[in-house]
Amino acid sequence: MNTALKSFFLVGTVLLAAGCSSSEKPATPDPAASPVSKAAGGQAPSGSMEEIVSLTETLKDRLSADVRKCLADEGFPQQQQAFEMTAQRTPQARSEPLRIDPLEMGPYTAEQARRYGMVGSVLLFARSEPGLVLSKDPSFDAALDSCRKEFSRKASGDVSALLSQSAEVQDEIRRGLLDATAEPILKLVTDRLDCVRKAGYPQLDPENAEKADDFAALLRDAGVQTASISQSSRPEPKIKKGEVVVVPPSDPGTYTPPAAEVDFALAYVTCGEQQGFTKKLEQLQDEPRKKLADRYAVKLAGISTTLRDAARNAS
């Protein structure tokens, strides 16, 4: 799949994940739960991708809660402090293993266009995020390792390895969906941009949908002014040996689109509505979804059973 085109799909995920980094090794992975999709009726079918996502998040949450309590009992309250710092955010879009959200290709409502323009639509993917614990204290690290092992013992299996396996198969299926739909989605996007070009943007080259690195580059080539996402970086404290430090959540950022970008985004939304973009996007995913679900059915069923057993044993 073309890397530049892929950036259209993953613009939200990539930019948000790149928001902060640290030279210190985090004491724990980010325990913030991802949005979970559920089947109609609230109960995901057994062995389905929806169930895998739901069970994975349930197990992650139980691991996080158990480790926080275990560490606090050992005299290390930092994990609980980080959890209490959680910045609550309600995402309006989500990237799922077997679903490409239309917002991954930019705004599709007038409200989104006016508030976020094209570039700022990335912010609609922002999720809740806790603080981060950084450690250079061997006793804390040993306690953390012990607490995790104790949770795995209760769960009757290596929980970290199980969560990694679940994440890997979800990523693999997501890549499969992107690869299978790349060409038809590119045609949808270029047709939509051609409509925008005819609506008053003669400099816009629809073929740049495959070449541009992001929306800002696409609009810049079309002569449309954009702004930058205002985002403060997460502090990177210098930690001394023997210290454990809690760092606040990263800033997802804010964005105020210039009037010219809003006009472009509104034209983009109108063209999408005229062409039935969101409906076509959903329809072209149907067949690849079925094929991927069939291809991974055995693997998903096995992971589902193991996740369910681990969560039940650890409860």
Side-chain angles (χ1 to χ4, degrees):
M1 178 179 182
N2 182 281
T3 302
L5 177 59
K6 193 171 184 178
S7 73
F8 264 87
F9 301 139
L10 302 182
V11 63
T13 306
V14 170
L15 292 183
L16 290 174
C20 305
S21 62
S22 173
S23 58
E24 305 297 335
K25 184 179 179 181
T28 184
D30 182 350
S34 305
V36 177
S37 65
K38 294 182 179 179
Q43 185 67 40
S46 179
S48 68
M49 192 72 257
E50 290 88 348
E51 185 186 48
I52 297 292
V53 172
S54 179
L55 289 171
T56 299
E57 296 309 323
T58 295
L59 189 59
K60 283 170 61 179
D61 288 346
R62 289 182 182 173
L63 170 63
S64 176
D66 199 271
V67 168
R68 291 197 306 270
K69 183 180 184 305
C70 176
L71 284 171
D73 290 344
E74 294 294 323
F76 297 105
Q78 292 88 349
Q79 289 281 33
Q80 182 61 33
Q81 292 168 356
F83 178 76
E84 291 171 358
M85 286 182 179
T86 298
Q88 299 294 340
R89 302 161 189 152
T90 303
Q92 298 181 43
R94 59 195 180 202
S95 296
E96 298 180 3
L98 280 175
R99 180 177 182 270
I100 298 171
D101 193 297
L103 197 58
E104 294 179 65
M105 269 69 70
Y108 59 88
T109 70
E111 180 182 2
Q112 293 168 353
R114 293 190 184 96
R115 174 64 185 84
Y116 296 97
M118 297 292 290
V119 175
S121 58
V122 59
L123 298 177
L124 292 167
F125 288 83
R127 300 178 298 182
S128 295
E129 180 184 357
L132 182 67
V133 179
L134 303 175
S135 170
K136 276 193 173 182
D137 181 354
S139 60
F140 174 90
D141 298 342
L144 175 61
D145 184 58
S146 176
C147 288
R148 285 175 171 165
K149 286 180 178 177
E150 175 59 19
F151 183 84
S152 287
R153 185 193 66 77
K154 290 191 293 185
S156 302
D158 187 335
V159 171
S160 294
L162 177 56
L163 292 174
S164 294
Q165 181 186 15
S166 176
E168 286 170 6
V169 75
Q170 289 183 50
D171 288 344
E172 196 174 317
I173 290 173
R174 170 72 175 182
R175 287 194 300 271
L177 180 63
L178 291 175
D179 288 343
T181 57
E183 289 188 14
I185 287 180
L186 177 59
K187 185 177 188 313
L188 279 183
V189 172
T190 53
D191 286 350
R192 189 176 180 182
L193 289 173
D194 189 53
C195 170
V196 175
R197 179 184 63 80
K198 294 174 182 176
Y201 295 90
Q203 289 180 253
L204 177 63
D205 181 0
E207 298 303 318
N208 279 348
E210 189 174 13
K211 303 171 188 174
D213 290 332
D214 51 31
F215 286 127
L218 182 71
L219 269 65
R220 184 168 55 248
D221 290 345
V224 178
Q225 178 188 2
T226 64
S228 298
I229 292 176
S230 175
Q231 187 177 40
S232 58
S233 60
R234 175 181 258 162
E236 296 187 18
K238 293 189 176 181
I239 306 173
K240 298 177 183 177
K241 187 174 181 179
E243 285 187 331
V244 181
V245 176
V246 181
V247 183
S250 62
D251 172 21
T254 58
Y255 187 74
T256 303
E261 182 183 348
V262 171
D263 290 342
F264 183 99
L266 287 170
Y268 187 76
V269 167
T270 298
C271 284
E273 291 173 343
Q274 291 174 349
Q275 297 177 346
F277 182 90
T278 57
K279 183 178 180 179
K280 290 177 180 177
L281 176 63
E282 188 66 24
Q283 289 174 337
L284 67 82
Q285 296 177 66
D286 286 344
E287 189 61 28
R289 280 192 194 121
K290 292 174 184 176
K291 290 182 178 179
L292 285 165
D294 289 343
R295 186 187 310 166
Y296 286 88
V298 174
K299 182 179 286 190
L300 291 176
I303 294 174
S304 176
T305 298
T306 309
L307 284 168
R308 193 183 305 107
D309 289 346
R312 183 180 61 249
N313 293 338
S315 62

